Amino acid sequence: MRIDFVTLFPDMFAPVMDASILGRAKEKGLLEWGCVNPRDFSDNKHHKVDDRPFGGGPGMVMMVEPLEKAVKSVKKKSSKTIFLSPQGEKFTDGKASQLAKEKHLVLVCGRYEGIDERALDLFDEELSIGDYVLTGGELPAMVVADAVVRKIPGVLKKEDAASSESFVEGLLDFPQYTRPRVWRGREVPEVLFSGDHKRIAAWRRDAAKAATKRKRPDLMSRA
Ligand code: 4HQ
């Protein structure tokens, strides 16, 4: 898969996109990514990309022209273009699985008070990572990229793969333990030392269900 980020802050991306599992996905040839800056497409001599809102009010609005040129410079017929915004459809694990099948994602990051409404025609989808307001779309775009790239076959090692299945089943992860076996008087559940893989799997299923009921009852109806 290739991912292009349309952003006024391209320097934010490498520290996240080149680290850990995403970095390894690139080294393995499973992911290519790049940034394109609308500022480089402004025909204004000061490279201006924002202007004051018609009708008045505080803050600035991203202009449609530099945004359109930036998107068009990376977009192909087979691309899916996505704008990150609190007004979008809620991004979920299911959506991540869907997007993982795409060949090319163009993730467009807004800044300021937002973008000119007419720019929305440039996008196939509008996605929100949650009901809170961030400074820009860069962090949401990287959240989407991370969740999507993990779903590409071959990105996760076999050992990692199992834990990613939990959300697919609609439940939270089961509780995990490592050494020491006793910590401040708290013991690791005995069954995990039994060597009985069937019993362990059954315990984990029950524990995942109990944790979901207690911490996220809203997920139980789906599971
Ligand atoms: N923003 N999920 C404002 C978000 C956001 C979110 C993105 C803030 C775009 C202009 N994006 N800009 N929540 O808060 O996706």
Side-chain angles (χ1 to χ4, degrees), residues 176-189 193:
Q176 302 275 15
Y177 300 88
T178 186
R179 291 191 295 181
R181 190 164 169 160
V182 184
W183 180 73
R184 294 191 183 158
R186 295 188 54 195
E187 292 193 28
V188 173
F193 304 103

Side-chain angles (χ1 to χ4, degrees), residues 18-19 35 94 100 105 117-118 123 126 130 141 144 155 163-164 193 220:
D18 285 342
C35 288
L105 298 180
E117 187 72 13
R118 295 165 292 183
F123 314 125
E126 193 175 2
V144 169
V155 167
S163 79
S164 69
F193 304 103
M220 277 318 280

Side-chain angles (χ1 to χ4, degrees), residues 5-66:
F5 300 97
V6 176
T7 173
L8 295 171
F9 294 89
D11 293 348
M12 288 179 69
F13 288 82
V16 173
M17 294 302 296
D18 285 342
S20 187
I21 286 174
L22 294 178
R24 213 166 339 115
K26 186 164 95 173
E27 281 171 17
K28 286 187 192 166
L30 298 169
L31 170 69
E32 270 183 275
W33 67 270
C35 288
V36 54
N37 192 337
R39 204 171 290 285
D40 298 334
F41 295 85
S42 167
D43 38 26
N44 182 286
K45 71 167 180 284
H46 300 106
H47 301 286
K48 196 174 151 70
V49 290
D50 62 329
D51 210 335
R52 289 150 54 211
F54 282 128
M60 300 291 270
V61 177
M62 278 178 84
M63 301 163 76
V64 67
E65 285 218 319

Side-chain angles (χ1 to χ4, degrees), residues 7-155:
T7 173
L8 295 171
F9 294 89
D11 293 348
M12 288 179 69
F13 288 82
V16 173
M17 294 302 296
D18 285 342
S20 187
I21 286 174
L22 294 178
R24 213 166 339 115
K26 186 164 95 173
E27 281 171 17
K28 286 187 192 166
L30 298 169
L31 170 69
E32 270 183 275
W33 67 270
C35 288
V36 54
N37 192 337
R39 204 171 290 285
D40 298 334
F41 295 85
S42 167
D43 38 26
N44 182 286
K45 71 167 180 284
H46 300 106
H47 301 286
K48 196 174 151 70
V49 290
D50 62 329
D51 210 335
R52 289 150 54 211
F54 282 128
M60 300 291 270
V61 177
M62 278 178 84
M63 301 163 76
V64 67
E65 285 218 319
L67 208 50
E68 176 185 47
K69 286 177 179 153
V71 170
K72 284 194 169 159
S73 77
V74 288
K75 186 182 139 80
K76 291 166 275 178
K77 274 205 192 80
S78 58
S79 311
K80 173 148 274 186
T81 59
I82 298 172
F83 181 62
L84 288 308
S85 121
Q87 284 139 55
E89 170 196 342
K90 188 74 62 74
F91 180 66
T92 61
D93 197 70
K95 191 77 208 173
S97 302
Q98 229 176 291
L99 294 179
K101 299 189 174 81
E102 298 290 336
K103 261 184 33 203
H104 183 210
L105 298 180
V106 179
L107 301 179
V108 182
C109 313
R111 280 271 158 174
Y112 316 118
E113 297 312 302
I115 61 172
D116 187 306
E117 187 72 13
R118 295 165 292 183
L120 287 176
D121 295 348
L122 300 168
F123 314 125
D124 298 313
E125 299 192 18
E126 193 175 2
L127 292 179
S128 167
I129 65 160
D131 292 338
Y132 35 78
V133 180
L134 299 165
T135 310
E138 284 77 10
L139 292 171
M142 286 189 269
V143 165
V144 169
D146 185 291
V148 168
V149 172
R150 291 170 56 81
K151 303 273 189 186
I152 298 172
V155 167

Side-chain angles (χ1 to χ4, degrees), residues 207-223:
K209 228 171 151 183
T212 308
K213 230 180 209 157
R214 191 163 63 81
K215 300 186 194 183
R216 292 292 307 277
D218 58 300
L219 293 179
M220 277 318 280
S221 46
R222 244 178 22 99

